Amino acid sequence: ATKPTATTSAESNGTATPEKKATATRKGAKKKRSKQDWEMEAVDKDQQYPLWFALPLQPGERRVTKRYEVLKNTIYTFEQLLGTLDVIVNIRMTVVALADGGLFVHAPVAPTPECLRLMRELEEKHGPVKYIVLPTTAVEHKLFLGPFAKKFPG
């Protein structure tokens, strides 16, 4: 069985000495990845939004999505961070469970795998997305409308 080795940034750009390489290998061989490390890596992939470069706003390609239940079994909000330079604010999407079944989505956010998973949970509970509304032409919402609507074509 092969033992894992660590690679330093100096090794990847070719500036590491043989002594540094040996030290990095010894350190890497001793360190085992914990279950938490693997779970964190999976979470990071779940929070990626590959289209962020279309309008490079902060926080880049990693967008954490938080879902809140505002009114039990009826109104939910989803929040992600959005910003430019050093001004970062939250962007909010509101989802309403309709009385006749289905979901109404107001001001969609970036459809990351995490966001989609949270939406699919609501679809299982309340039915499919029936309406997606863009309340403004402000770029922070307009940017995500197309990619979000493609994930919920019904």
Side-chain angles (χ1 to χ4, degrees), residues 2 24 36 43 70 76 81 124 138 142 149 152:
T2 60
Q36 186 178 13
V43 167
V70 178
Y76 305 86
L81 293 179
E124 287 176 15
K142 189 176 179 181
F152 300 95

Side-chain angles (χ1 to χ4, degrees), residues 6 8 10-11 14-28:
T8 65
E11 285 177 305
T15 60
T17 64
E19 295 79 23
K20 286 182 181 175
K21 286 183 182 179
T23 302
T25 302
R26 281 194 303 274
K27 286 180 182 173

Side-chain angles (χ1 to χ4, degrees), residues 63-90:
R63 295 184 182 275
V64 175
T65 304
K66 295 182 181 179
R67 182 180 69 194
Y68 301 95
E69 188 171 26
V70 178
L71 185 61
K72 189 158 180 68
N73 293 319
T74 307
I75 300 175
Y76 305 86
T77 60
F78 289 63
E79 291 187 2
Q80 295 176 348
L81 293 179
L82 180 78
T84 58
L85 302 173
D86 61 347
V87 179
I88 299 177
V89 296
N90 67 330

Side-chain angles (χ1 to χ4, degrees), residues 52-66:
W52 75 276
F53 61 86
L55 183 63
L57 298 171
Q58 293 295 336
E61 72 175 319
R62 182 170 186 239
R63 295 184 182 275
V64 175
T65 304
K66 295 182 181 179

Side-chain angles (χ1 to χ4, degrees), residues 39-52 57-67 79-81 109-118 144:
E39 288 172 354
M40 193 61 187
E41 189 175 299
V43 167
D44 288 345
K45 288 178 183 174
D46 201 31
Q47 297 169 346
Q48 286 181 340
Y49 184 62
L51 298 177
W52 75 276
L57 298 171
Q58 293 295 336
E61 72 175 319
R62 182 170 186 239
R63 295 184 182 275
V64 175
T65 304
K66 295 182 181 179
R67 182 180 69 194
E79 291 187 2
Q80 295 176 348
L81 293 179
V109 296
T112 62
E114 180 178 44
C115 176
L116 296 174
R117 180 177 44 78
L118 294 169
F144 304 125

